[in-house]
Every structure is written in C-alpha cells, then in structure tokens.
Amino acid sequence: VQLQASGGGLVQPGGSLRLSCEASGLTLGVYAIAWFRQAPGKEREGVSAISDVDGSTYYADSVKGRFTISRDNAKNSAYLQMNSLKPEDTAVYYCAAEAGYMWNRNIWYEKTEYDYWGQGTLVTVSS
C-alpha cells in the first residue's frame, strides 16, 4: 500500500497550489482521505478530510474558504486545492487514508484515525 503525495513547491503569498495524492495497492474509493501538515517545530495537524460514503468535507478553521479537498475515485487519487496561500501555510503536507467503515468523521483531524500515510510534500509560501 502506498500513498504518493506531490505538487508542493515554492509560491508567493496569495498564490495557489494543487496537491495530489495517488494511491496504489488499495481502492481509494472505500477510504476516507485526509490532508495533514507539519510545520517546523510544530505538531502535525489536520487540514482537511473527505468521506468515502457521502463526499462530506471537513476543514480546519485556519484553511476554511481557502482550501478545497476533492477526490477522483476513478483515478484512485485525491487533491487539495490551496488558494490565497499565506506564509503560515508553509509546512510539509501529508495525505492519509483510513478504511471508511473504521473512520470516525467526528475526529477526522486526529492523526490516530489514519493507518496509511504518504511521504509528504513541502509547501513553502514566501516572497
């Protein structure tokens, strides 16, 4: 099982990036998917999640209105569209997955809810 995150890079404040998470070895369509991030010296935090059952989405307050999570089950992939980026969004971003029947959407932001993790992609927001 592998989750491959990509799409990170250097962007100016106010810019946009689209992260991708491609899965292999599992059928992503029956998994809840989340994005986490970890800034230097900080704990890994939940950014967003999307349900496998009904497509419900969840966001951290800090990214609401700026980030959009989506999935394409046919491509076994998920995405995080990030707009209006701020320097405080700088972090390594990880995608994570958990079998839908085991996922508790009420604590989507907890690292312990996810069994599968990608390797991370670095997003740097700086002028």
Side-chain angles (χ1 to χ4, degrees), residues 3-58:
L3 298 177
Q4 182 74 37
S6 62
L10 173 64
V11 63
Q12 291 187 341
S16 298
L17 279 176
R18 187 191 193 212
L19 305 184
S20 298
C21 177
E22 185 173 354
S24 58
L26 60 81
T27 302
L28 207 56
V30 295
Y31 284 77
I33 303 161
W35 287 94
F36 284 74
R37 67 186 181 186
Q38 187 166 17
K42 293 189 176 182
E43 293 287 321
R44 191 171 299 189
E45 62 174 356
V47 174
S48 183
I50 185 167
S51 166
D52 61 314
V53 173
D54 56 11
S56 295
T57 56
Y58 305 86

